[in-house]
Amino acid sequence: MTEETFRDILRKYWGYDNFRGIQSEIINSISQGKDTLGLMPTGGGKSVTFQVPAIAMDGVCIVITPLIALMKDQVENLRKRGIKAAAIYSGMTNDQIISTLENCIFGAYKLLYVSPERLSSTFFLKKINHAHISFITVDEAHCITQWGYDFRPSYLKIKDFKKIFPDTAILALTATATPAVVEDIQRQLDFKCDNVFRMSFLRTNLAYIVEKPINRLEKTTQLIENAKGSCIVYVQTRDDAKNLAEYLNENGQSATFYHAHLDSTVKNDRQERWKKGEMKTMVATNAFGMGIDKPDVRMVVHYECPSSIEAYFQEAGRAGRDGEMAKAVLLYDYNDHKRILQTIADSFPEKDYIRKVYDDLAYFFQVALGDGFNCNFEFNTERFCRTFKHFPTKALAAIKILVQSGYLDFSDSDDNKSRVRFLLQRDELYRLRNNSHEEDMVIETLLRFYGGLFVDYTFIDESSLAQRLGLDSERIYVILKSLNEKNILHYIPRKKIPHIRYKQRREDSQRLVIPKAVYEDMHDRAMERAMSIINYAENNNLCRSRLLLNYFGEKTKHNCGMCDFCTNRNNETAADDKNAVREALIRKILDFLADGKRHQVYELMNLSDDTTALADTITFMTHERMFGFKDGEVFL
């Protein structure tokens, strides 16, 4: 495959004549079968680096990515361009998953998006083993390393997956990586040799600003009001997102909010309205933004300080993707400093407390010493914390450390999806006369898109039904409940139930081994990241762009000229220059008047060509009574 082949694909499907940045180098590397790591800032065009070679090469590219919303968004965009792509995610029926995998085996798709958790599915591995895989792409690759800011244990399964396809190259991509993370990503993915392509993280059109307002609400409103385009405001909690959006609307700024716990149809609707410009501002938790390609975001505001520079840099980088001037504003005060450090303390409770949680779990599940190996339990977090008087945040942090120490598996998102089974036979359904029009529409749609409904319970997705019927998910829920009450079908609504599985027989808690790599080392890294973002926010001595670049190992001696440090410094320099000019003119005027004579004021105006500075200096000297002034004459 030649460079021109790749350009033809880019031109055909994306309408661009040339690649930008390091896209071409990454594409050439992976197409030659080399394990490759690409470092590209947010908006740098990561997706093109695997989508173009996936189209050009034989087989299907497996894309591993952590977010379902990102999978769906990219698959939809690819299909609109006429590119064969698919995704497997929770909420799909078994029939849909089987169909997708068999289509991959028969060459119907060029790209298949999956979550890292899917790689541990025996069924998935058995099926995909029959497919011809062109290469493997790992998006958000920093998640594979404990040095990264968003470590996810599920990413460690990628190494085992790669062993099944030892001759298949792997492409890792991330927008945030320190030198330590770069090294560890390659080690964790068993790169045959170091092979890294770096794109500069410098954003010449993005001004990084830290504000320390007395009133965050008023300051945020002012920033949004003055912004000449779309905005994102990042907050820490769901309640903050809702409350701030309401406040902005009450103060004349169109805004909506977004967080992970919203219904998928609601999230999609709000996202689309914001992307179309119907709403100026999206107030969101960090669940929003991944894969959102909106080029004209003029401002990203962080209402509170995030927990790491990596998270801040990635979120701030969603501003100004069109190359026009944009701002990333961080609102900060000392409470942020205390909150970040308290979060770390909560994330690493004392080891005696961790042992107590381990014992309390055993009492909760009635697991005796020496028992429990491979036993799986539904975990009602609220009831557990109420029974044993634990704070949920601290208890869950202890459980996470027990998981990383190898004693437990914990899933806080095991999804007991909605299930439906018809209680009437097909011919009986057609004889029903008392249903509403909406009920008949739901029945017809269920029959059209789901199989086996008369034989056994079938998983369904209310949001998918809602989209097909032009209703909202809450209305679908009400209709299904009504059909359930009429004994037409049995509807078991979706619920999310955390699960805990014992990976070892229950130990005496005093004999638990909590490894240094899991506790002390990770605590120290979390503290390093916390202090880096705190030092960034409290910095008064260096250009903010240079600080960020230095953190990611990119050295530069040039200031950006746009951040608050550079702007303040320029203002101070201008003031210093103005004072120097004034002092020089004062000396010149005093020397002129030293002859002891009286002079007309207009004579002073001949002492400099800078008449504005001269007039200002004369006014200043008059107010300070540095010479006498009477009847239009000046004198010492």
Side-chain angles (χ1 to χ4, degrees):
M1 285 169 287
T2 65
E3 179 80 17
E4 194 55 40
T5 301
F6 298 130
R7 279 207 188 92
D8 287 343
I9 292 170
L10 182 72
R11 196 176 297 115
K12 177 180 177 180
Y13 292 104
W14 282 271
Y16 300 123
D17 289 326
N18 289 296
F19 295 103
R20 57 192 175 97
I22 57 173
Q23 287 176 332
S24 181
E25 290 94 322
I26 293 174
I27 290 169
N28 283 319
S29 177
I30 192 64
S31 67
Q32 292 167 20
K34 298 177 182 177
D35 293 332
T36 306
L37 172 57
L39 307 179
M40 305 175 75
T42 301
K46 285 189 298 177
S47 58
V48 166
T49 64
F50 62 86
Q51 289 168 352
V52 166
I55 295 167
M57 297 168 69
D58 292 333
V60 59
C61 171
I62 305 296
V63 184
I64 301 165
T65 184
L67 294 175
I68 290 176
L70 181 61
M71 292 184 200
K72 291 180 177 179
D73 188 58
Q74 291 213 4
V75 168
E76 182 183 349
N77 288 333
L78 287 168
R79 287 178 174 175
K80 285 178 181 176
R81 297 181 191 277
I83 299 166
K84 298 173 181 178
I88 295 177
Y89 47 84
S90 61
M92 293 174 67
T93 65
N94 286 336
D95 287 345
Q96 288 172 321
I97 293 172
I98 291 170
S99 174
T100 301
L101 288 173
E102 288 182 345
N103 277 314
C104 286
I105 294 169
F106 294 123
Y109 299 122
K110 300 302 293 182
L111 297 109
L112 175 67
Y113 288 76
V114 298
S115 68
E117 289 80 9
R118 186 68 54 179
L119 304 182
S120 59
S121 164
T122 304
F123 176 76
F124 173 80
L125 294 174
K126 185 177 179 180
K127 278 285 187 182
I128 204 67
N129 197 33
H130 295 288
H132 174 49
I133 297 178
S134 53
F135 62 97
I136 301 164
T137 297
V138 182
D139 201 10
E140 308 302 329
H142 59 272
C143 295
I144 201 171
T145 168
Q146 293 186 359
W147 291 97
Y149 76 101
D150 194 19
F151 170 65
R152 303 190 188 191
S154 59
Y155 263 67
L156 298 176
K157 297 178 175 68
I158 299 173
K159 183 186 289 188
D160 295 331
F161 180 69
K162 189 186 176 187
K163 289 176 182 175
I164 302 172
F165 306 96
D167 298 324
T168 302
I170 195 161
L171 170 60
L173 297 166
T174 182
T176 49
T178 63
V181 169
V182 168
E183 183 179 334
D184 202 37
I185 288 173
Q186 296 178 89
R187 185 176 64 82
Q188 292 289 352
L189 292 175
D190 281 338
F191 271 38
K192 294 180 179 65
C193 62
D194 287 357
N195 188 28
V196 184
F197 294 90
R198 292 177 173 85
M199 187 172 173
S200 174
F201 285 174
L202 176 64
R203 292 288 302 277
T204 56
N205 67 313
L206 186 55
Y208 298 101
I209 296 166
V210 175
E211 296 267 9
K212 299 176 182 177
I214 297 173
N215 186 313
R216 292 188 196 230
L217 284 171
E218 291 180 0
K219 185 63 183 180
T220 302
T221 307
Q222 178 190 349
L223 288 168
I224 299 302
E225 187 176 357
N226 292 335
K228 303 275 194 289
S230 296
C231 305
I232 305 173
V233 181
Y234 281 107
V235 295
Q236 294 291 313
T237 69
R238 287 176 274 163
D239 287 343
D240 286 345
K242 181 176 182 292
N243 295 336
L244 181 54
E246 288 177 353
Y247 181 87
L248 289 171
N249 282 309
E250 289 167 2
N251 285 272
Q253 300 300 314
S254 64
T256 188
F257 66 93
Y258 184 109
H259 55 72
H261 291 262
L262 290 171
D263 182 86
S264 58
T265 54
V266 174
K267 286 192 284 191
N268 290 338
D269 176 65
R270 291 180 180 179
Q271 181 176 298
E272 287 304 311
R273 292 181 66 197
W274 176 76
K275 285 172 71 173
K276 291 175 181 176
E278 295 174 14
M279 309 297 289
K280 180 177 183 179
T281 301
M282 178 66 80
V283 185
T285 62
N286 60 7
F288 178 78
M290 198 77 72
I292 302 302
D293 186 18
K294 184 169 171 60
D296 61 341
V297 177
R298 297 274 66 85
M299 181 175 293
V300 172
V301 178
H302 279 81
Y303 192 74
E304 293 171 304
C305 190
S307 59
S308 69
I309 282 184
E310 290 93 337
Y312 174 70
F313 186 77
Q314 189 170 64
E315 290 161 3
R318 290 171 186 140
R321 291 190 181 187
D322 56 4
E324 300 298 322
M325 285 302 302
K327 292 182 179 180
V329 182
L330 171 62
L331 305 185
Y332 180 83
D333 65 23
Y334 189 66
N335 288 326
D336 289 298
H337 185 137
K338 292 190 291 185
R339 175 181 53 78
I340 291 170
L341 296 184
Q342 185 59 51
T343 299
I344 294 174
D346 290 341
S347 300
F348 294 91
E350 302 82 1
K351 289 185 178 181
D352 284 344
Y353 178 82
I354 297 170
R355 293 187 173 93
K356 182 178 184 332
V357 168
Y358 182 80
D359 284 336
D360 290 346
L361 286 170
Y363 297 138
F364 190 64
F365 298 130
Q366 297 295 291
V367 177
L369 282 170
D371 287 342
F373 173 66
N374 218 26
C375 290
N376 192 54
F377 301 95
E378 288 187 1
F379 182 52
N380 187 318
T381 310
E382 182 182 350
R383 186 156 65 87
F384 172 77
C385 292
R386 188 173 63 247
T387 302
F388 296 97
K389 297 180 171 55
H390 290 298
F391 288 108
T393 301
K394 195 173 180 182
L396 290 171
I399 290 171
K400 181 178 179 181
I401 291 171
L402 288 167
V403 169
Q404 293 174 341
S405 299
Y407 292 100
L408 306 173
D409 260 344
F410 174 68
S411 172
D412 61 356
S413 59
D414 271 11
D415 201 348
N416 283 359
K417 305 169 193 67
S418 299
R419 289 174 288 167
V420 163
R421 179 182 181 179
F422 276 107
L423 302 177
L424 301 180
Q425 293 304 309
R426 188 181 293 269
D427 57 344
E428 293 176 296
L429 288 177
Y430 294 129
R431 291 199 295 268
L432 293 174
R433 292 290 180 268
N434 298 322
N435 289 340
S436 69
H437 176 62
E438 286 183 339
E439 287 172 336
D440 284 337
M441 286 170 57
V442 167
I443 291 172
E444 183 181 339
T445 306
L446 284 170
L447 293 173
R448 184 180 302 168
F449 293 101
Y450 296 96
L453 290 162
F454 298 98
V455 179
D456 200 355
Y457 289 97
T458 299
F459 292 119
I460 66 165
D461 181 9
E462 289 91 333
S463 62
S464 176
L465 285 171
Q467 285 181 321
R468 294 182 190 281
L469 294 173
L471 303 172
D472 60 48
S473 293
E474 291 181 8
R475 185 61 191 153
I476 295 292
Y477 172 82
V478 170
I479 294 168
L480 288 169
K481 290 291 284 185
S482 173
L483 294 171
N484 184 83
E485 290 165 5
K486 292 179 177 181
N487 291 318
I488 294 171
L489 54 75
H490 187 206
Y491 170 52
I492 304 173
R494 168 184 179 176
K495 56 179 179 177
K496 286 194 173 182
I497 304 177
H499 280 73
I500 284 180
R501 181 175 68 86
Y502 278 76
K503 295 176 70 176
Q504 301 183 23
R505 298 183 187 278
R506 182 193 163 193
E507 276 274 10
D508 181 331
S509 62
Q510 295 306 309
R511 299 179 62 184
L512 292 180
V513 177
I514 301 172
K516 179 174 177 286
V518 167
Y519 192 87
E520 286 84 1
D521 290 353
M522 290 192 72
H523 174 272
D524 292 347
R525 290 169 198 158
M527 281 297 297
E528 286 176 14
R529 287 193 291 272
M531 292 313 301
S532 293
I533 190 67
I534 288 170
N535 291 337
Y536 169 83
E538 296 180 355
N539 158 69
N540 293 311
N541 301 309
L542 191 65
C543 165
R544 297 202 186 276
S545 180
R546 284 179 63 187
L547 270 175
L548 292 171
L549 293 174
N550 289 346
Y551 181 81
F552 291 111
E554 188 174 336
K555 305 298 181 184
T556 178
K557 296 180 180 180
H558 301 291
N559 290 345
C560 70
M562 302 182 294
C563 70
D564 56 299
F565 170 81
C566 289
T567 303
N568 292 338
R569 186 180 180 190
N570 291 341
N571 291 339
E572 290 170 3
T573 301
D576 290 343
D577 291 345
K578 185 176 180 180
N579 289 336
V581 169
R582 176 180 287 177
E583 288 173 9
L585 287 173
I586 287 172
R587 286 194 298 272
K588 200 167 189 178
I589 291 170
L590 292 177
D591 288 343
F592 179 72
L593 297 177
D595 61 4
K597 299 178 181 178
R598 290 174 176 255
H599 294 272
Q600 298 293 323
V601 174
Y602 70 82
E603 293 180 64
L604 300 183
M605 297 304 295
N606 295 324
L607 296 177
S608 173
D609 293 332
D610 189 346
T611 55
T612 300
L614 189 58
D616 176 69
T617 302
I618 293 171
T619 301
F620 173 79
M621 293 178 72
T622 303
H623 288 164
E624 294 296 319
R625 298 186 178 181
M626 297 178 72
F627 50 62
F629 180 79
K630 186 176 181 180
D631 298 330
E633 293 181 334
V634 291
F635 50 88
L636 291 179

